[in-house]
Amino acid sequence: MTYSHEVEAMCPVAQGVAHGAAPIPEEAKWVKAKEISDINGFTHGIGWCAPQQGTCKLSLNVKGGVIQEALVETIGCSGMTHSAAMAAEILPGRTILEALNTDLVCDAINTAMRELFLQIVYGRSQSAFSEDGLTIGAGLEDLGKGLRSQIGTMYGTLKKGPRYLEMTDGYVTDLALNEDNEIIGYKFVNFGKMMDFIKKGDDANTAFEKAKGQYGRVADAVKFIDPRKQ
């Protein structure tokens, strides 16, 4: 250690009381984190790319400072989805500090990692007060049945009004309208369920019909429109 002349000329003064790190909540414990290995938790981070053309939701399950599970969800450019595939291979097995200083290819994923790191080292995790944390595999619960990201895609113009395109329920096939042309419900196809039916042996048409559903006052509709064409 090299000290400047000014520091060498100073007289020693005791620092007094030092309480150490402030405790943070981790998996139903209060932890004074001093090392990366002290960090445990399951949480999420949101990131965006430089031109703000796309975004990433990153979910990590960390045990002893090491990433055990990673869920990478993106929406935006096609390059971002391919970057997510690389990130899913890169992240498990790395410490959260390694992951913070690793090129995860896409700006949105890198930013999500940064935001997630800040949350988890300050104890702002989803599992902060869950005894022993969440099991490895908890990330899949965010996807629900069919293991598909929950996406809402809506479009609207002043001249023609709103269009529901994709809901958590699934791909919207028809909008139900009342006599004033207001949306009162919709019909949808859940592609996750449809693929499950196909994998179990149903033909595509049968699976398509079984995966259909509806929401709202569909029975009261005076007409239906295809939101992508009408």
Side-chain angles (χ1 to χ4, degrees):
M1 194 75 69
T2 303
Y3 295 94
S4 68
H5 172 74
E6 290 79 7
V7 173
E8 289 287 6
M10 294 177 181
C11 64
V13 176
Q15 287 182 270
V17 178
H19 296 289
I24 62 173
E26 286 189 12
E27 302 186 344
K29 299 181 181 70
W30 289 99
V31 177
K32 291 190 174 184
K34 297 180 182 179
E35 308 289 341
I36 291 296
S37 58
D38 294 329
I39 302 298
N40 295 278
F42 176 87
T43 195
H44 318 278
I46 302 296
W48 53 94
C49 63
Q52 299 188 27
Q53 186 180 2
T55 187
C56 168
K57 175 191 171 188
L58 179 62
S59 305
L60 298 183
N61 203 340
V62 178
K63 302 291 185 184
V66 177
I67 297 168
Q68 303 293 329
E69 174 187 16
L71 172 64
V72 191
E73 299 175 84
T74 64
I75 185 167
C77 69
S78 58
M80 188 179 294
T81 62
H82 289 72
S83 297
M86 297 179 68
E89 294 194 35
I90 291 170
L91 288 168
R94 293 181 182 267
T95 69
I96 54 172
L97 184 59
E98 285 179 302
L100 186 66
N101 290 284
T102 295
D103 182 8
L104 299 174
V105 189
C106 171
D107 282 348
I109 304 174
N110 284 317
T111 306
M113 184 63 226
R114 180 193 71 195
E115 297 301 308
L116 193 152
F117 180 89
L118 291 174
Q119 290 167 212
I120 204 166
V121 297
Y122 284 120
R124 274 71 168 178
S125 68
Q126 184 175 324
S127 60
F129 300 102
S130 301
E131 190 170 352
D132 296 325
L134 302 184
T135 59
I136 309 304
L140 294 179
E141 294 177 6
D142 275 14
L143 301 179
K145 293 181 180 178
L147 300 185
R148 286 173 56 87
S149 294
Q150 299 185 59
I151 296 173
T153 306
M154 313 299 159
Y155 180 71
T157 60
L158 180 60
K159 184 176 182 178
K160 298 295 184 178
R163 298 293 188 278
Y164 300 173
L165 303 175
E166 185 99 17
M167 307 288 278
T168 298
D169 312 274
Y171 176 98
V172 177
T173 57
D174 300 273
L175 292 182
L177 306 182
N178 64 12
E179 60 275 5
D180 296 319
N181 285 332
E182 298 170 326
I183 299 172
I184 59 172
Y186 54 87
K187 296 180 180 180
F188 62 86
V189 175
N190 187 311
F191 284 146
K193 290 183 179 179
M194 179 178 168
M195 291 305 299
D196 285 342
F197 290 139
I198 290 173
K199 286 186 284 187
K200 290 178 181 178
D202 287 342
D203 63 81
N205 289 330
T206 301
F208 180 79
E209 292 299 323
K210 289 172 67 174
K212 283 183 176 180
Q214 62 184 44
Y215 179 83
R217 293 170 28 231
V218 174
D220 298 331
V222 298
K223 69 175 178 180
F224 295 92
I225 64 169
D226 181 338
R228 290 170 174 79
K229 294 182 178 180
Q230 294 173 271

